[in-house]
Structure formats: C-alpha cells, structure tokens
Amino acid sequence: MAQKHGKNYVAAVAKVEAEKAYALNDAVSLVKEIDFAKFDASVEVVFKLNVDTRQADQQLRGAVVLPNGTGKDKTVVVFAQGDKAKEAEAAGADVVGAADLVQRIQGGWLDFDVAIATPDMMAQVGRVGRALGPKGLMPNPKTGTVTMDVTKAVSDAKGGQVTYRTDRDGNVAVPVGRVSFDADKLAENIKSISQTVLKARPAAAKGTYVQHVSISSTFGPAVSLDVNSL
C-alpha cells in the first residue's frame, strides 16, 4: 500500500525538479525554503557510493569536525581513570567513569550521544558492547573515540564532530546542521563532509565512486546535488 503524504509534503515536492541535480548553494536554499517542520529541523546529506560493502576494505568509517557544528548539544561520556579522568572532566565531558560507568550502562542507562574511552579501558567497555554497538555508541579508534588524547576527543565531540559509515547498501548519511543555519554555513559543512568522503575512496572501488548525493530536512523531500559543485 502506497504511503500517503500530507499536503505540506506534496507542496514541498512540487517545488523540486525531480530530474535536476542542483548546484550546492541552490540546493541548500531550496531545502531551507521547502522545510515545513514546526521545529528547527535537522539537515542531512546522503551519499550513494559505488562500493561493495561485503568487502572489509570497501567499508567507510570515520569522523570529521564540521566547521560550523551540527546545531546540537551533545552529551559526552568518557571511560577513563586517574589523570585521564581529570583531563576529560576539565575538557567538559558530561559523565566520566570507569567500572561505575560500565555498571550504570549495564543497568540500562544510554542517555548520551558520544562515548569516548582510553585504550586501557576497552576491556571493561567491551562488557557493554552489546548495549553500545546497536546504538552506534561503541568507542572506535577509526572515529577518534578510543584515544589517550581525551581532551581533543571531548573537544571535537562537543564542537561539531560527526561520524560517517557506509550501510550495507553503500549509503553514507550524515547530519550537517539545522534549517536555521545560514545557507553558506550549511554549504560549508556539506563541502567539508563531501571532501572527506571523496578522499576516503577505497582503492578497490571501481567505476563511478559517487553515484548520487542528496540533502533533505527532517520531514522534507530530498533535493539531488550536482556532485561537481561539491
């Protein structure tokens, strides 16, 4: 059964040329114009990549700090002890702990956005891997969240860092800000993550690497991007 869209969505779709790949600045302006949410909606960019994610060397995963942040205040927890715990607290981490933090998560608490750990804590963190993994919260060296430099990790997380990874179909979806952002700031964020994804092209990827790119707000329709404008 086909999904029925409301009149606001239908009106928004009518303003998007279905077969057109918009230049970046035009696409951003259009996404802002056609957004109809009654709150400050998120804006997301989605890349369709020509990669075989069944092959480990063609899976993308990493992190980048967006120049203009995401518009979201992130709750950051750090698994650390001793001096590193003090560093994390000084850097602005919301919750810092070791065995006590593991126990709290085992009790069902997952009310945070980013988890960071020092390498020596990973054995303990592994005990809550089944809780953190499905939520995308497991610390990982590839995203800079397993590190001895907890000051930088907390600063990046609080300062607009986003993580990216391919899903099984080769898509990468990344939040790049809010509808309320100035158009030029949204465009700058999109260019930043685009350049990161382009540079991360796996050596084994064949043919056209980026097959399609689109941006959209939380409820709004997608607007296709001209890859050459990124």
Side-chain angles (χ1 to χ4, degrees):
M1 185 175 174
Q3 181 181 0
K4 289 186 177 180
H5 291 291
K7 62 182 181 180
N8 289 333
Y9 184 89
V10 171
V13 168
K15 295 182 179 180
V16 181
E17 293 182 45
E19 302 302 318
K20 181 175 179 178
Y22 290 79
L24 176 59
N25 291 335
D26 293 338
V28 169
S29 296
L30 183 56
V31 164
K32 285 170 64 68
E33 177 192 338
I34 63 179
D35 175 68
F36 55 85
K38 290 182 170 62
F39 57 92
D40 191 8
S42 292
V43 177
E44 183 179 70
V45 60
V46 180
F47 302 86
K48 172 63 178 171
L49 304 179
N50 183 23
V51 292
D52 182 0
T53 55
R54 294 171 299 178
Q55 309 301 320
D57 62 351
Q58 292 191 50
Q59 296 171 9
L60 270 63
R61 184 167 190 180
V64 61
V65 178
L66 298 178
N68 301 300
T70 62
K72 179 182 179 182
D73 292 328
K74 290 186 177 179
T75 301
V76 178
V77 305
V78 179
F79 295 90
Q81 45 196 353
D83 290 342
K84 290 298 169 183
K86 292 175 184 174
E87 269 184 49
E89 288 170 357
D94 297 280
V95 179
V96 181
D100 56 327
L101 181 52
V102 169
Q103 192 171 15
R104 188 173 175 186
I105 291 168
Q106 285 174 330
W109 182 71
L110 289 167
D111 192 18
F112 51 92
D113 303 296
V114 181
I116 296 163
T118 53
D120 59 297
M121 288 299 301
M122 286 306 293
Q124 290 196 51
V125 176
R127 297 176 194 165
V128 287
R130 287 186 179 180
L132 299 179
K135 299 280 188 182
L137 294 170
M138 189 69 179
N140 189 299
K142 290 183 179 179
T143 58
T145 49
V146 176
T147 177
M148 290 299 285
D149 193 348
V150 292
T151 298
K152 181 179 185 300
V154 172
S155 177
D156 285 350
K158 290 284 191 180
Q161 185 181 66
V162 291
T163 58
Y164 62 89
R165 67 184 301 176
T166 41
D167 65 15
R168 67 180 186 179
D169 297 317
N171 299 308
V172 174
V174 186
V176 289
R178 301 280 187 180
V179 168
S180 62
F181 279 27
D182 291 341
D184 59 341
K185 290 187 175 181
L186 273 174
E188 193 178 3
N189 278 355
I190 292 166
K191 273 199 167 183
S192 177
I193 184 62
S194 298
Q195 289 166 3
T196 300
V197 169
L198 288 169
K199 287 177 184 174
R201 175 177 180 149
K206 306 295 183 186
T208 303
Y209 173 50
V210 180
Q211 295 181 321
H212 185 254
V213 186
S214 65
I215 57 174
S216 62
S217 59
T218 304
F219 295 140
V223 175
S224 295
L225 273 173
D226 178 358
V227 179
N228 295 320
S229 70
L230 298 173

